[in-house]
Amino acid sequence: MTIIRKADAQDVARFSPVAVGVVPAAVANAGEAGHRAWLDFFAAQIRNRNTRQAYARAAHRLFDWLAEHGIHDVVDIEPVHIAVWVEARMREASRPTVKQELAGVRRLFDWLTVRQVVSSSPAAAVRGPKHTVRRGTTPVLSAAECRRFLRSIPVETVGGLRDRALIATMTYSFARVSAALAMNVKDVFLTDSRLWLRLHEKGGKVLEVPCHHNLEAFLRDYTVTAGIGIDRDGPLFRALNGDGSLSDRRLNRRRARDMIRRRARAAGISTDVCNHSFRATGITAYLENPEARVEVAQYLAGHADPKTTKLYDRRDDRISLDEIERIGI
């Protein structure tokens, strides 16, 4: 029997900070086939890093729960076990979270079935919680609030210029924070004397979009002052050193979130904004224009389904408030 090298698990684990290289005991009891199927699932079947993290957490959570209830072999898992686990998770987590976790578990067991580790998937017949979303939950700023936010950022330092340019990038291009932070200097380029952005979005989509004139000005101010124009292969949005100067390191999402919340407090913004707020704010502001088209917003946002785009459209919020105020009590 071929021995699985320790390096195999280490290589897979590099795909994610989650311990995807740690095979649960119930799967390990299936022998080399179980080990290999587990590693191959996370290495070859799940390309998105965030999805890989979420599915790995869900799988470990399930197998830990099964072990606590005396089920130590993957072939002994039955649909009723998965169903009871789902019910237990419903008392601990939100419906969307449980629905996502069950989706990850289903995909894993489908793969284990394909690889003949189990004869059939015990998760296939288990129904998850119903969850229908008609309105997104991401906090959104009004156009006036967003303008005030951007104008409130001090631009006497390179850090302030960076922060304003990053927030404007997400607002005016509808970019996800991961796509904005993944940009290199060369992803801001000239076409017909105007700046364009090259965004690497989810699902391997590469979008090239023109810059709004405000965003163009903000990006020029930042890149010229920062002096990073010649470093074409370097990150566009960089972390700061302790003295406030730019480093060569890429800014990460957590620090971007902390920066946004700090800037929001300084600007007197009461809305609990997050990285995703500016994408939703930009889409809503665009759709408020009478000549706007949902299909254009869908393209710029990189959504496969227009229903997803409409979750970011908060124009009806104002209509609903106006109607509620008609109650003459």
Side-chain angles (χ1 to χ4, degrees):
M1 182 175 70
T2 304
I3 303 299
I4 297 178
R5 296 181 300 111
K6 182 179 180 181
D8 290 343
Q10 293 174 340
D11 290 342
V12 175
R14 291 193 186 99
F15 281 86
S16 167
V18 176
V20 298
V22 178
V23 182
V27 179
N29 287 339
E32 183 178 358
H35 276 85
R36 185 64 67 184
W38 172 275
L39 298 178
D40 286 351
F41 175 73
F42 288 104
Q45 294 297 302
I46 311 296
R47 290 258 54 87
N48 183 274
R49 180 183 178 87
N50 295 330
T51 302
R52 187 181 299 118
Q53 292 181 32
Y55 283 8
R57 283 193 295 266
H60 279 292
R61 192 172 283 124
L62 169 65
F63 283 107
D64 288 346
W65 182 90
L66 290 168
E68 291 174 1
H69 290 78
I71 302 164
H72 303 289
D73 200 314
V74 68
V75 298
D76 293 333
I77 301 173
E78 299 179 6
V80 66
H81 300 140
I82 307 294
V84 175
W85 173 72
V86 168
E87 288 298 318
R89 287 295 293 148
M90 287 287 290
R91 295 190 291 270
E92 303 169 344
S94 65
R95 286 175 177 267
T97 297
V98 178
K99 191 172 183 178
Q100 181 198 56
E101 290 180 348
L102 180 57
V105 167
R106 279 179 178 150
R107 284 194 60 178
L108 172 61
F109 277 106
D110 286 344
W111 180 248
L112 294 178
T113 303
V114 170
R115 296 294 293 268
Q116 299 182 356
V117 176
V118 295
S119 59
S120 62
S121 169
V126 179
R127 297 186 63 180
K130 291 185 178 180
H131 179 67
T132 303
V133 178
R134 296 183 179 178
R135 178 186 182 277
T137 59
T138 302
V140 175
L141 299 178
S142 67
E145 282 182 311
C146 193
R147 282 193 295 270
R148 176 159 62 90
F149 192 0
L150 288 169
R151 290 170 182 168
S152 74
I153 299 175
V155 291
E156 292 79 18
T157 65
V158 69
L161 292 170
R162 179 207 66 178
D163 297 348
R164 184 179 67 171
L166 172 59
I167 292 169
T169 296
M170 293 187 289
T171 303
Y172 288 113
S173 72
F174 310 166
R176 294 177 176 86
V177 65
S178 55
L181 295 178
M183 293 174 65
N184 291 327
V185 174
K186 65 184 178 183
D187 291 321
V188 180
F189 58 96
L190 276 173
T191 296
D192 295 331
S193 301
R194 289 296 300 270
L195 286 185
W196 284 58
L197 303 181
R198 184 180 297 109
L199 298 165
H200 297 266
E201 287 283 6
K202 288 172 62 176
K205 297 175 184 175
V206 179
L207 301 178
E208 294 187 350
V209 298
C211 288
H212 187 279
H213 66 275
N214 286 338
L215 175 56
E216 184 172 39
F218 296 159
L219 284 170
R220 287 187 188 277
D221 288 346
Y222 165 56
T223 54
V224 170
T225 303
I228 59 176
I230 59 174
D231 186 14
R232 302 292 294 165
D233 292 319
L236 177 62
F237 296 111
R238 306 180 180 207
L240 298 178
N241 294 314
D243 60 0
S245 62
L246 281 185
S247 71
D248 294 329
R249 306 184 310 277
R250 193 178 302 276
L251 182 66
N252 62 45
R253 291 189 301 172
R254 182 177 60 81
R255 293 193 179 277
R257 179 202 61 199
D258 293 343
M259 173 274 291
I260 285 169
R261 290 179 173 171
R262 185 177 66 253
R263 296 290 189 191
R265 288 194 299 269
I269 302 294
S270 58
T271 304
D272 187 20
V273 293
C274 60
N275 289 333
H276 222 50
S277 294
F278 301 96
R279 174 175 166 87
T281 297
I283 292 173
T284 299
Y286 168 75
L287 292 174
E288 286 177 341
N289 190 309
E291 298 181 0
R293 292 179 292 163
V294 172
E295 59 268 25
V296 173
Q298 177 189 349
Y299 171 78
L300 292 174
H303 290 149
D305 191 328
K307 292 180 181 178
T308 307
T309 307
K310 290 177 181 178
L311 294 177
Y312 292 84
D313 181 7
R314 305 297 175 77
R315 290 175 294 171
D316 289 343
D317 289 0
R318 296 186 184 89
I319 297 173
S320 299
L321 180 59
D322 289 344
E323 293 303 318
I324 289 296
E325 291 299 331
R326 295 182 187 277
I327 301 173
I329 299 177

